Amino acid sequence: MRVMHGKPAHGVGTAVGKRVLGTLGAVALTVGLLSACDGGEEPPADTATTSSPSPEESTPGPEPSAEEQEPEASASEPSSEPSGDGADESDGTAKPGDDKGDDESSEGDGTSQGEGKPDGKGGDKDPKEEEPEKPDYIEYGEVSARVGKLQQRLQDLGYFVTSVDKAFGGETQQAVFALQKAGGLYRDGVVGDATRNAADDGVVPKAQTSSGKVLEIDIDRQLVLAVENGKVVKVINASSGNGETYDAKGATYTAYTPRGSFAVFREVNGMHSSTLELGDMWRPKFFTGGIALHGSASVPAFPASHGCVRVSNGAMDWIWDTWGAPSGTPVVVY
């Protein structure tokens, strides 16, 4: 460190003495500054806060990283400013000024430590670190190539999927319900390991009939099968009577779907209102009494109807317009 004097020396002895005293004074000043920088207590570990919102239930995010605990020299408290995903992902590198007690950090090429360096030590974050990890499961709302792959597989197996558009919407969810029912899996409409394995293994229900075009209704698994000469050509999610009692027009009924062999005897090509004022049915095909196979906007993964068999409106359109099930078509309920 250079010591500058305001006046010229009056002699060699005087100059040497002043130089020595000046040097000792600079050393003492430097020691005092360093002591002030290093001697302050660092805040306890529990004063550094993290801010990480609870992960959403359908889309778990990455585990938040611990916040940087070393404060800047000019700050009295540690910074806890969260990043976009609720966690500070700093690499812990000290910022300029953290370990300097004098103005020596300003010397050199004028660039602060770590500033503008490609290794991210100047506070820049790797964009990949902020991207949430893709969950292992696939569920409603996802749009991706793997959804398109799932749709294609379901379609190839015969589950009712009309479009491979890479968007997990209602139609895909209905097909996943059907696959889970066929495989005896939990019916949540979410594709986890078990459901993915069922698709990979080609799980498809077997027909109970061996000849002709038949509509088979599997009450136990809540499925409708379009069968041709013993081969299942389409598997459709369905919802039948829930077994509960209900009142309609002063009478009490049981929401029951009868089992047995029947045939389509009446059909309505459009929206039909229940005579018991229980709601509307889309393009119903009646096969016994007031019980029909019909389209509905609500087809859950469990029994929920008053006795009719619900399928999606799109599936009912396919039965009418593509496959064809005119009056006289056998309907087997088991």
Side-chain angles (χ1 to χ4, degrees):
M1 179 179 296
R2 180 183 301 174
V3 180
M4 304 297 296
H5 301 279
K7 296 181 180 180
H10 293 288
V12 176
T14 303
V16 172
K18 287 185 178 181
R19 184 176 297 116
V20 170
L21 290 176
T23 302
L24 292 176
V27 171
L29 176 60
T30 302
V31 171
L33 289 174
L34 291 177
S35 298
C37 179
D38 295 342
E41 283 188 28
E42 292 190 3
D46 58 2
T47 61
T49 58
T50 54
S51 173
S52 56
S54 301
E56 295 183 4
E57 183 178 353
S58 59
T59 312
E63 289 291 333
S65 59
E67 287 213 4
E68 183 176 80
Q69 303 232 352
E70 185 178 348
E72 295 188 7
S74 60
S76 60
E77 294 181 3
S79 172
S80 59
E81 197 171 302
S83 63
D85 61 356
D88 186 356
E89 296 188 8
S90 172
D91 61 2
T93 302
K95 298 179 178 58
D98 280 354
D99 59 352
K100 295 293 182 180
D102 51 27
D103 59 355
E104 289 182 0
S105 61
S106 62
E107 297 180 358
D109 60 359
T111 302
S112 299
Q113 285 184 336
E115 189 175 285
K117 294 183 180 180
D119 60 2
K121 291 186 179 181
D124 295 336
K125 299 177 182 178
D126 187 349
K128 293 182 180 179
E129 293 182 358
E130 297 190 5
E131 293 179 0
E133 294 181 3
K134 186 175 291 186
D136 292 336
Y137 54 84
I138 310 173
E139 64 180 344
Y140 187 92
E142 180 174 329
V143 179
S144 65
R146 65 177 184 172
V147 172
K149 183 178 179 180
L150 170 68
Q151 291 171 327
Q152 187 63 62
R153 179 58 174 167
L154 291 170
Q155 191 178 75
D156 292 344
L157 292 174
Y159 291 91
F160 184 73
V161 175
T162 60
S163 177
V164 179
D165 59 2
K166 301 180 181 180
F168 198 126
E171 183 181 86
T172 303
Q173 187 180 59
Q174 288 285 302
V176 171
F177 281 149
L179 173 64
Q180 290 173 334
K181 291 175 176 182
L185 306 175
Y186 184 71
R187 308 169 184 182
D188 59 1
V190 176
V191 182
D193 290 339
T195 303
R196 187 180 294 109
N197 290 339
D200 292 342
D201 294 342
V203 172
V204 177
K206 295 181 179 180
Q208 299 295 308
T209 60
S210 58
S211 62
K213 290 181 66 173
V214 183
L215 281 169
E216 294 190 12
I217 301 174
D218 187 336
I219 296 297
D220 292 337
R221 290 189 286 187
Q222 296 286 284
L223 293 171
V224 168
L225 312 179
V227 180
E228 296 179 10
N229 296 320
K231 179 182 179 181
V232 176
V233 297
K234 199 68 68 180
V235 185
I236 303 170
N237 181 53
S239 178
S240 65
N242 60 17
E244 299 178 3
T245 58
Y246 63 93
D247 295 329
K249 290 190 172 182
T252 300
Y253 301 88
T254 299
Y256 172 71
T257 304
R259 303 174 192 248
S261 295
F262 311 97
V264 175
F265 69 91
R266 180 187 171 209
E267 53 188 2
V268 179
N269 190 8
M271 192 65 76
H272 174 73
S273 296
S274 166
T275 57
L276 293 178
E277 300 178 352
L278 299 175
D280 296 333
M281 299 178 280
W282 176 244
R283 305 180 84 177
K285 289 183 178 287
F286 293 89
F287 57 86
T288 180
I291 306 297
L293 172 68
H294 67 83
S296 174
S298 175
V299 189
F302 49 84
S305 80
H306 292 99
C308 288
V309 179
R310 303 179 191 175
V311 295
S312 68
N313 289 334
M316 201 66 207
D317 288 341
W318 178 84
I319 291 173
W320 268 86
D321 303 330
T322 302
W323 194 62
S327 291
T329 299
V331 178
V332 178
V333 185
Y334 51 84

